[in-house]
Short mmCIF file of all heavy atoms in Angstrom, two decimals:
data_model
loop_
_atom_site.label_atom_id
_atom_site.label_comp_id
_atom_site.label_asym_id
_atom_site.label_seq_id
_atom_site.Cartn_x
_atom_site.Cartn_y
_atom_site.Cartn_z
N VAL A 299 0.85 -1.16 -0.02
CA VAL A 299 -0.05 -0.06 -0.06
C VAL A 299 0.90 1.25 -0.07
O VAL A 299 1.86 1.35 0.69
CB VAL A 299 -0.86 -0.01 1.25
CG1 VAL A 299 -1.65 1.37 1.41
CG2 VAL A 299 -1.91 -1.21 1.19
N LYS A 300 0.39 2.22 -0.83
CA LYS A 300 1.19 3.54 -0.78
C LYS A 300 0.06 4.55 -0.52
O LYS A 300 -1.07 4.51 -0.93
CB LYS A 300 1.82 3.73 -2.18
CG LYS A 300 2.97 2.84 -2.37
CD LYS A 300 3.71 3.28 -3.68
CE LYS A 300 4.92 2.35 -3.81
NZ LYS A 300 5.18 1.73 -5.02
N VAL A 301 0.60 5.73 0.13
CA VAL A 301 -0.27 6.86 0.32
C VAL A 301 0.17 7.95 -0.58
O VAL A 301 1.39 8.16 -0.67
CB VAL A 301 -0.36 7.31 1.77
CG1 VAL A 301 -1.20 6.38 2.68
CG2 VAL A 301 1.01 7.50 2.38
N THR A 302 -0.76 8.82 -1.08
CA THR A 302 -0.44 9.94 -1.69
C THR A 302 -1.40 11.08 -1.21
O THR A 302 -2.54 10.92 -0.88
CB THR A 302 -0.57 9.86 -3.28
OG1 THR A 302 -1.83 9.29 -3.55
CG2 THR A 302 0.54 8.96 -3.87
N VAL A 303 -0.84 12.29 -1.23
CA VAL A 303 -1.61 13.48 -0.84
C VAL A 303 -1.76 14.27 -2.07
O VAL A 303 -0.68 14.67 -2.73
CB VAL A 303 -1.02 14.39 0.19
CG1 VAL A 303 -1.76 15.52 0.49
CG2 VAL A 303 -0.72 13.38 1.54
N ASP A 304 -2.97 14.64 -2.55
CA ASP A 304 -3.27 15.49 -3.60
C ASP A 304 -2.99 16.90 -3.16
O ASP A 304 -3.78 17.49 -2.33
CB ASP A 304 -4.75 15.39 -4.08
CG ASP A 304 -4.87 16.09 -5.40
OD1 ASP A 304 -4.28 17.14 -5.68
OD2 ASP A 304 -5.72 15.62 -6.19
N GLN A 305 -1.86 17.51 -3.61
CA GLN A 305 -1.52 18.91 -3.14
C GLN A 305 -2.56 19.95 -3.60
O GLN A 305 -2.64 20.95 -2.90
CB GLN A 305 -0.12 19.23 -3.73
CG GLN A 305 0.94 18.30 -3.24
CD GLN A 305 1.16 18.34 -1.70
OE1 GLN A 305 1.20 19.49 -1.16
NE2 GLN A 305 1.25 17.22 -1.11
N ASP A 306 -3.33 19.57 -4.58
CA ASP A 306 -4.32 20.63 -4.98
C ASP A 306 -5.49 20.70 -4.15
O ASP A 306 -6.30 21.61 -4.07
CB ASP A 306 -4.75 20.30 -6.49
CG ASP A 306 -3.61 20.53 -7.45
OD1 ASP A 306 -2.74 21.30 -7.16
OD2 ASP A 306 -3.66 19.89 -8.54
N ILE A 307 -5.80 19.56 -3.38
CA ILE A 307 -6.86 19.41 -2.53
C ILE A 307 -6.57 19.72 -1.09
O ILE A 307 -7.33 20.19 -0.31
CB ILE A 307 -7.50 18.03 -2.65
CG1 ILE A 307 -7.93 17.87 -4.12
CG2 ILE A 307 -8.69 17.85 -1.78
CD1 ILE A 307 -8.42 16.34 -4.40
N CYS A 308 -5.38 19.27 -0.66
CA CYS A 308 -5.00 19.51 0.76
C CYS A 308 -5.16 20.97 1.24
O CYS A 308 -4.70 21.90 0.60
CB CYS A 308 -3.53 19.04 0.89
SG CYS A 308 -2.91 19.39 2.57
N GLN A 309 -5.77 21.07 2.38
CA GLN A 309 -6.02 22.33 3.00
C GLN A 309 -5.24 22.72 4.22
O GLN A 309 -5.39 23.70 4.91
CB GLN A 309 -7.54 22.48 3.27
CG GLN A 309 -8.46 22.68 1.99
CD GLN A 309 -8.07 23.90 1.20
OE1 GLN A 309 -7.90 24.93 1.72
NE2 GLN A 309 -8.12 23.63 -0.13
N GLY A 310 -4.43 21.68 4.55
CA GLY A 310 -3.56 21.85 5.80
C GLY A 310 -4.11 21.90 7.01
O GLY A 310 -3.70 22.50 7.99
N HIS A 311 -5.09 20.93 7.19
CA HIS A 311 -5.57 20.72 8.51
C HIS A 311 -4.62 19.93 9.46
O HIS A 311 -4.82 20.00 10.59
CB HIS A 311 -6.90 19.91 8.54
CG HIS A 311 -7.92 20.60 7.62
ND1 HIS A 311 -8.62 21.67 7.90
CD2 HIS A 311 -8.35 20.15 6.36
CE1 HIS A 311 -9.50 21.88 6.88
NE2 HIS A 311 -9.26 21.06 5.85
N ALA A 312 -3.72 19.31 8.80
CA ALA A 312 -2.72 18.55 9.63
C ALA A 312 -3.27 17.34 10.34
O ALA A 312 -2.56 16.74 11.14
CB ALA A 312 -1.87 19.38 10.47
N ARG A 313 -4.51 16.95 10.14
CA ARG A 313 -4.99 15.78 10.88
C ARG A 313 -4.19 14.50 10.63
O ARG A 313 -3.97 13.70 11.43
CB ARG A 313 -6.37 15.58 10.49
CG ARG A 313 -7.41 16.43 11.11
CD ARG A 313 -8.79 15.85 11.10
NE ARG A 313 -9.80 16.90 11.11
CZ ARG A 313 -11.06 16.65 11.10
NH1 ARG A 313 -11.51 15.56 10.96
NH2 ARG A 313 -11.85 17.75 11.28
N CYS A 314 -3.86 14.37 9.25
CA CYS A 314 -3.23 13.13 8.83
C CYS A 314 -1.81 12.96 9.65
O CYS A 314 -1.50 11.97 10.09
CB CYS A 314 -2.83 13.23 7.36
SG CYS A 314 -2.07 14.76 6.82
N ALA A 315 -1.15 14.03 9.78
CA ALA A 315 0.09 14.05 10.52
C ALA A 315 0.00 13.81 12.00
O ALA A 315 0.88 13.30 12.66
CB ALA A 315 0.95 15.39 10.30
N VAL A 316 -1.14 14.07 12.54
CA VAL A 316 -1.40 13.82 13.95
C VAL A 316 -1.72 12.31 14.02
O VAL A 316 -1.17 11.60 14.91
CB VAL A 316 -2.56 14.62 14.54
CG1 VAL A 316 -3.04 14.14 15.83
CG2 VAL A 316 -2.18 16.13 14.50
N ILE A 317 -2.55 11.81 13.14
CA ILE A 317 -2.92 10.35 13.17
C ILE A 317 -1.75 9.40 12.78
O ILE A 317 -1.58 8.43 13.39
CB ILE A 317 -4.14 10.14 12.25
CG1 ILE A 317 -5.33 10.94 12.63
CG2 ILE A 317 -4.44 8.66 12.01
CD1 ILE A 317 -6.54 10.96 11.76
N ALA A 318 -1.05 9.85 11.82
CA ALA A 318 0.09 8.95 11.36
C ALA A 318 1.33 9.81 11.04
O ALA A 318 1.69 10.00 9.89
CB ALA A 318 -0.45 8.27 10.07
N PRO A 319 1.94 10.25 12.15
CA PRO A 319 3.20 11.00 11.94
C PRO A 319 4.28 10.53 11.16
O PRO A 319 5.20 11.16 10.63
CB PRO A 319 3.54 11.41 13.38
CG PRO A 319 2.93 10.43 14.20
CD PRO A 319 1.69 9.93 13.60
N GLU A 320 4.32 9.11 11.11
CA GLU A 320 5.30 8.33 10.33
C GLU A 320 5.14 8.44 8.87
O GLU A 320 6.09 8.19 8.15
CB GLU A 320 5.39 6.91 10.74
CG GLU A 320 5.51 6.58 12.25
CD GLU A 320 4.14 6.55 13.06
OE1 GLU A 320 3.12 7.03 12.42
OE2 GLU A 320 4.11 5.97 14.11
N LEU A 321 3.95 8.74 8.42
CA LEU A 321 3.70 8.72 7.07
C LEU A 321 3.50 10.07 6.36
O LEU A 321 3.45 10.17 5.12
CB LEU A 321 2.27 7.90 6.81
CG LEU A 321 2.30 6.53 7.36
CD1 LEU A 321 0.89 5.92 7.20
CD2 LEU A 321 3.32 5.71 6.59
N PHE A 322 3.50 11.20 7.15
CA PHE A 322 3.27 12.47 6.54
C PHE A 322 4.19 13.62 7.13
O PHE A 322 4.46 13.45 8.22
CB PHE A 322 1.79 13.02 6.73
CG PHE A 322 0.67 12.01 6.24
CD1 PHE A 322 0.21 11.05 7.09
CD2 PHE A 322 0.39 12.05 4.90
CE1 PHE A 322 -0.81 10.14 6.54
CE2 PHE A 322 -0.56 11.24 4.40
CZ PHE A 322 -1.13 10.19 5.21
N VAL A 323 4.57 14.41 6.27
CA VAL A 323 5.38 15.52 6.72
C VAL A 323 4.61 16.80 6.28
O VAL A 323 3.98 16.84 5.35
CB VAL A 323 6.77 15.68 6.12
CG1 VAL A 323 7.64 14.48 6.81
CG2 VAL A 323 6.80 15.52 4.57
N LEU A 324 4.76 17.78 7.19
CA LEU A 324 4.03 19.10 6.82
C LEU A 324 5.02 20.15 6.47
O LEU A 324 6.09 20.28 6.82
CB LEU A 324 3.21 19.60 8.12
CG LEU A 324 2.35 18.63 8.80
CD1 LEU A 324 1.74 19.23 10.09
CD2 LEU A 324 1.15 18.31 7.75
N ASP A 325 4.58 20.88 5.48
CA ASP A 325 5.42 22.11 5.05
C ASP A 325 5.15 23.23 5.95
O ASP A 325 4.35 23.24 6.89
CB ASP A 325 5.21 22.43 3.63
CG ASP A 325 3.91 22.97 3.17
OD1 ASP A 325 3.14 23.38 4.12
OD2 ASP A 325 3.59 23.04 1.97
N ASP A 326 5.78 24.43 5.75
CA ASP A 326 5.67 25.59 6.57
C ASP A 326 4.13 26.05 6.64
O ASP A 326 3.83 26.75 7.61
CB ASP A 326 6.51 26.76 6.01
CG ASP A 326 7.93 26.45 6.21
OD1 ASP A 326 8.26 25.43 6.90
OD2 ASP A 326 8.77 27.09 5.51
N MET A 327 3.46 25.75 5.65
CA MET A 327 1.99 26.26 5.64
C MET A 327 0.97 25.12 6.28
O MET A 327 -0.18 25.45 6.25
CB MET A 327 1.49 26.45 4.22
CG MET A 327 2.39 27.50 3.43
SD MET A 327 2.30 28.99 4.17
CE MET A 327 0.59 29.56 3.56
N GLY A 328 1.61 24.02 6.69
CA GLY A 328 0.72 23.01 7.29
C GLY A 328 0.26 22.07 6.27
O GLY A 328 -0.60 21.12 6.62
N HIS A 329 0.57 22.21 5.03
CA HIS A 329 0.19 21.28 4.06
C HIS A 329 0.91 20.02 4.10
O HIS A 329 2.11 20.04 4.53
CB HIS A 329 0.31 21.85 2.64
CG HIS A 329 -0.68 22.99 2.32
ND1 HIS A 329 -0.33 24.23 2.47
CD2 HIS A 329 -2.00 22.86 2.04
CE1 HIS A 329 -1.40 25.03 2.21
NE2 HIS A 329 -2.44 24.27 1.99
N SER A 330 0.31 18.94 3.74
CA SER A 330 0.85 17.64 3.95
C SER A 330 1.49 17.05 2.83
O SER A 330 0.91 17.23 1.77
CB SER A 330 -0.19 16.69 4.56
OG SER A 330 0.31 15.45 4.82
N GLN A 331 2.58 16.25 2.97
CA GLN A 331 3.08 15.45 1.87
C GLN A 331 3.44 14.05 2.41
O GLN A 331 3.81 13.93 3.60
CB GLN A 331 4.33 16.12 1.45
CG GLN A 331 4.39 16.18 -0.04
CD GLN A 331 5.56 16.86 -0.67
OE1 GLN A 331 6.39 17.41 0.06
NE2 GLN A 331 5.79 16.83 -2.03
N GLU A 332 3.23 13.14 1.57
CA GLU A 332 3.42 11.69 1.97
C GLU A 332 4.95 11.58 2.07
O GLU A 332 5.71 12.13 1.37
CB GLU A 332 2.90 10.71 1.02
CG GLU A 332 3.49 10.69 -0.36
CD GLU A 332 2.98 11.74 -1.31
OE1 GLU A 332 2.01 12.47 -0.84
OE2 GLU A 332 3.47 11.93 -2.31
N VAL A 333 5.40 10.74 3.07
CA VAL A 333 6.78 10.50 3.16
C VAL A 333 7.20 9.61 2.01
O VAL A 333 8.37 9.82 1.51
CB VAL A 333 7.09 9.75 4.48
CG1 VAL A 333 8.47 9.04 4.54
CG2 VAL A 333 6.84 10.54 5.71
N GLY A 334 6.32 8.87 1.51
CA GLY A 334 6.67 8.12 0.22
C GLY A 334 7.09 6.64 0.51
O GLY A 334 7.30 6.31 1.59
N GLY A 335 7.07 5.91 -0.60
CA GLY A 335 7.41 4.50 -0.52
C GLY A 335 6.33 3.59 -0.03
O GLY A 335 5.03 4.10 0.22
N GLU A 336 6.58 2.39 0.17
CA GLU A 336 5.59 1.37 0.67
C GLU A 336 5.25 1.59 2.14
O GLU A 336 6.19 1.73 2.91
CB GLU A 336 6.02 -0.01 0.41
CG GLU A 336 5.10 -1.10 0.45
CD GLU A 336 4.14 -1.15 -0.69
OE1 GLU A 336 4.40 -0.56 -1.72
OE2 GLU A 336 3.09 -1.76 -0.40
N VAL A 337 4.04 1.67 2.50
CA VAL A 337 3.60 1.76 3.88
C VAL A 337 3.88 0.47 4.56
O VAL A 337 3.39 -0.57 4.22
CB VAL A 337 2.09 2.12 3.90
CG1 VAL A 337 1.60 2.18 5.45
CG2 VAL A 337 1.75 3.47 3.37
N PRO A 338 4.60 0.54 5.65
CA PRO A 338 4.91 -0.71 6.45
C PRO A 338 3.56 -1.34 6.85
O PRO A 338 2.64 -0.51 7.30
CB PRO A 338 5.68 -0.23 7.64
CG PRO A 338 6.22 1.06 7.27
CD PRO A 338 5.29 1.68 6.37
N LYS A 339 3.52 -2.70 6.92
CA LYS A 339 2.23 -3.35 7.26
C LYS A 339 1.64 -2.82 8.59
O LYS A 339 0.40 -2.62 8.59
CB LYS A 339 2.57 -4.81 7.48
CG LYS A 339 2.27 -5.71 6.26
CD LYS A 339 0.82 -6.37 6.40
CE LYS A 339 0.50 -7.20 5.26
NZ LYS A 339 -0.02 -6.52 4.11
N GLU A 340 2.48 -2.64 9.48
CA GLU A 340 1.92 -2.25 10.85
C GLU A 340 1.36 -0.73 10.78
O GLU A 340 0.79 -0.30 11.78
CB GLU A 340 3.06 -2.27 11.95
CG GLU A 340 4.16 -1.32 11.86
CD GLU A 340 5.37 -2.00 10.84
OE1 GLU A 340 5.03 -2.84 10.15
OE2 GLU A 340 6.44 -1.43 11.05
N LEU A 341 1.62 -0.10 9.79
CA LEU A 341 1.09 1.30 9.72
C LEU A 341 -0.12 1.41 8.66
O LEU A 341 -0.70 2.47 8.54
CB LEU A 341 2.24 2.29 9.22
CG LEU A 341 3.24 2.52 10.28
CD1 LEU A 341 4.31 3.55 9.69
CD2 LEU A 341 2.73 3.03 11.44
N GLU A 342 -0.58 0.31 8.18
CA GLU A 342 -1.59 0.41 7.07
C GLU A 342 -2.94 0.85 7.69
O GLU A 342 -3.67 1.63 7.08
CB GLU A 342 -1.81 -1.06 6.52
CG GLU A 342 -0.72 -1.32 5.38
CD GLU A 342 -0.94 -2.68 4.67
OE1 GLU A 342 -1.96 -3.29 4.93
OE2 GLU A 342 0.00 -2.93 3.87
N ALA A 343 -3.16 0.32 8.92
CA ALA A 343 -4.44 0.74 9.55
C ALA A 343 -4.40 2.29 9.83
O ALA A 343 -5.43 3.05 9.61
CB ALA A 343 -4.68 0.02 10.94
N ALA A 344 -3.23 2.78 10.21
CA ALA A 344 -3.17 4.29 10.51
C ALA A 344 -3.21 5.10 9.11
O ALA A 344 -3.78 6.11 9.21
CB ALA A 344 -1.82 4.58 11.15
N ALA A 345 -2.72 4.44 8.12
CA ALA A 345 -2.89 5.09 6.81
C ALA A 345 -4.30 5.34 6.40
O ALA A 345 -4.79 6.25 5.91
CB ALA A 345 -2.05 4.42 5.67
N GLU A 346 -5.04 4.18 6.68
CA GLU A 346 -6.53 4.19 6.35
C GLU A 346 -7.25 5.10 7.19
O GLU A 346 -8.09 5.83 6.73
CB GLU A 346 -7.09 2.78 6.52
CG GLU A 346 -6.84 1.88 5.25
CD GLU A 346 -7.29 0.40 5.46
OE1 GLU A 346 -8.34 0.16 6.19
OE2 GLU A 346 -6.60 -0.37 4.87
N ARG A 347 -6.91 5.18 8.48
CA ARG A 347 -7.55 6.20 9.35
C ARG A 347 -7.23 7.61 8.94
O ARG A 347 -8.11 8.48 8.92
CB ARG A 347 -6.98 6.03 10.80
CG ARG A 347 -8.05 5.42 11.71
CD ARG A 347 -7.70 5.45 13.14
NE ARG A 347 -6.30 5.58 13.58
CZ ARG A 347 -5.51 4.52 13.81
NH1 ARG A 347 -5.91 3.21 13.61
NH2 ARG A 347 -4.22 4.66 14.17
N ALA A 348 -6.04 7.93 8.47
CA ALA A 348 -5.62 9.19 8.07
C ALA A 348 -6.53 9.57 6.82
O ALA A 348 -6.99 10.68 6.78
CB ALA A 348 -4.15 9.25 7.67
N ALA A 349 -6.55 8.67 5.94
CA ALA A 349 -7.34 8.92 4.67
C ALA A 349 -8.82 9.18 5.01
O ALA A 349 -9.42 10.06 4.49
CB ALA A 349 -7.28 7.70 3.65
N THR A 350 -9.37 8.35 5.90
CA THR A 350 -10.77 8.41 6.40
C THR A 350 -11.09 9.86 7.02
O THR A 350 -12.11 10.49 6.89
CB THR A 350 -11.22 7.29 7.21
OG1 THR A 350 -11.01 6.09 6.65
CG2 THR A 350 -12.75 7.42 7.66
N ASN A 351 -10.01 10.18 7.82
CA ASN A 351 -10.35 11.51 8.53
C ASN A 351 -9.84 12.78 7.94
O ASN A 351 -9.99 13.80 8.47
CB ASN A 351 -9.49 11.43 9.86
CG ASN A 351 -10.25 10.45 10.79
OD1 ASN A 351 -11.22 10.86 11.50
ND2 ASN A 351 -9.91 9.19 10.98
N CYS A 352 -9.31 12.62 6.67
CA CYS A 352 -8.96 13.89 5.96
C CYS A 352 -10.24 14.64 5.55
O CYS A 352 -10.98 13.99 4.74
CB CYS A 352 -7.97 13.65 4.81
SG CYS A 352 -7.78 15.08 3.69
N PRO A 353 -10.44 15.79 6.07
CA PRO A 353 -11.82 16.41 5.71
C PRO A 353 -11.92 16.81 4.23
O PRO A 353 -12.97 16.98 3.64
CB PRO A 353 -11.78 17.71 6.55
CG PRO A 353 -10.56 17.64 7.46
CD PRO A 353 -9.64 16.61 6.85
N GLU A 354 -10.75 16.84 3.48
CA GLU A 354 -10.87 17.21 2.05
C GLU A 354 -10.82 15.94 1.27
O GLU A 354 -10.91 16.14 -0.01
CB GLU A 354 -9.67 18.16 1.70
CG GLU A 354 -9.47 19.22 2.75
CD GLU A 354 -10.63 20.23 2.70
OE1 GLU A 354 -11.34 20.29 1.57
OE2 GLU A 354 -10.89 20.84 3.76
N GLY A 355 -10.65 14.81 1.67
CA GLY A 355 -10.47 13.59 0.84
C GLY A 355 -9.29 13.76 -0.04
O GLY A 355 -9.29 13.21 -1.13
N ALA A 356 -8.18 14.25 0.53
CA ALA A 356 -7.00 14.45 -0.27
C ALA A 356 -6.03 13.29 -0.25
O ALA A 356 -5.08 13.26 -1.00
CB ALA A 356 -6.27 15.72 0.31
N ILE A 357 -6.27 12.35 0.67
CA ILE A 357 -5.27 11.17 0.88
C ILE A 357 -5.90 10.00 0.05
O ILE A 357 -6.95 9.60 0.32
CB ILE A 357 -5.12 10.87 2.29
CG1 ILE A 357 -4.59 12.03 3.02
CG2 ILE A 357 -4.22 9.71 2.45
CD1 ILE A 357 -4.60 11.91 4.51
N LYS A 358 -5.06 9.41 -0.82
CA LYS A 358 -5.45 8.19 -1.52
C LYS A 358 -4.51 7.16 -1.06
O LYS A 358 -3.29 7.23 -0.96
CB LYS A 358 -5.35 8.44 -2.95
CG LYS A 358 -6.29 9.63 -3.49
CD LYS A 358 -7.69 9.01 -3.78
CE LYS A 358 -8.65 10.14 -4.18
NZ LYS A 358 -9.35 10.73 -3.04
N LEU A 359 -5.16 5.91 -0.94
CA LEU A 359 -4.31 4.68 -0.82
C LEU A 359 -4.32 3.93 -2.17
O LEU A 359 -5.40 3.87 -2.82
CB LEU A 359 -4.89 3.84 0.25
CG LEU A 359 -5.06 4.51 1.61
CD1 LEU A 359 -5.60 3.49 2.68
CD2 LEU A 359 -3.77 5.11 2.22
N SER A 360 -3.14 3.42 -2.51
CA SER A 360 -3.18 2.52 -3.74
C SER A 360 -2.28 1.35 -3.55
O SER A 360 -1.60 1.27 -2.57
CB SER A 360 -2.63 3.37 -4.83
OG SER A 360 -1.37 3.88 -4.65
S1 SF4 B 670 -5.74 15.93 6.82
FE1 SF4 B 670 -6.01 16.17 4.48
S2 SF4 B 670 -6.23 18.35 4.14
FE2 SF4 B 670 -5.30 18.02 6.19
S3 SF4 B 670 -3.09 18.22 5.95
FE3 SF4 B 670 -3.67 16.08 5.89
S4 SF4 B 670 -4.02 15.74 3.68
FE4 SF4 B 670 -4.03 17.93 3.95
#
């Protein structure tokens, strides 16, 4: 599983980084970017939680 953040949609609520700090980094404006690469098995549930809790629906799992 990989996570991606759509930069055009992200509004910088930073919820994803609170839920899964291992998977997202925030820029100076609080916008999120995925750390990248394959999500470790033990973080898959957190990745799904982050995607579900993003108010903008900016996080995709593939
Ligand atoms: S929760 Fe969604 S909108 Fe907020 S920073 Fe994360 S990806 Fe962006």
Side-chain angles (χ1 to χ4, degrees):
V299 171
K300 291 187 171 130
V301 284
T302 50
V303 177
D304 189 327
Q305 297 298 312
D306 294 335
I307 300 175
C308 174
Q309 292 294 319
H311 306 286
R313 280 197 206 181
C314 51
V316 171
I317 293 169
E320 304 90 342
L321 300 177
F322 302 95
V323 286
L324 300 178
D325 68 14
D326 291 346
M327 305 294 286
H329 291 98
S330 178
Q331 225 177 352
E332 68 279 353
V333 168
E336 193 72 19
V337 174
K339 261 269 180 273
E340 66 271 20
L341 292 178
E342 282 183 6
E346 275 172 37
R347 246 190 343 269
T350 304
N351 282 282
C352 173
E354 310 299 330
I357 300 171
K358 298 276 176 270
L359 303 183
S360 59

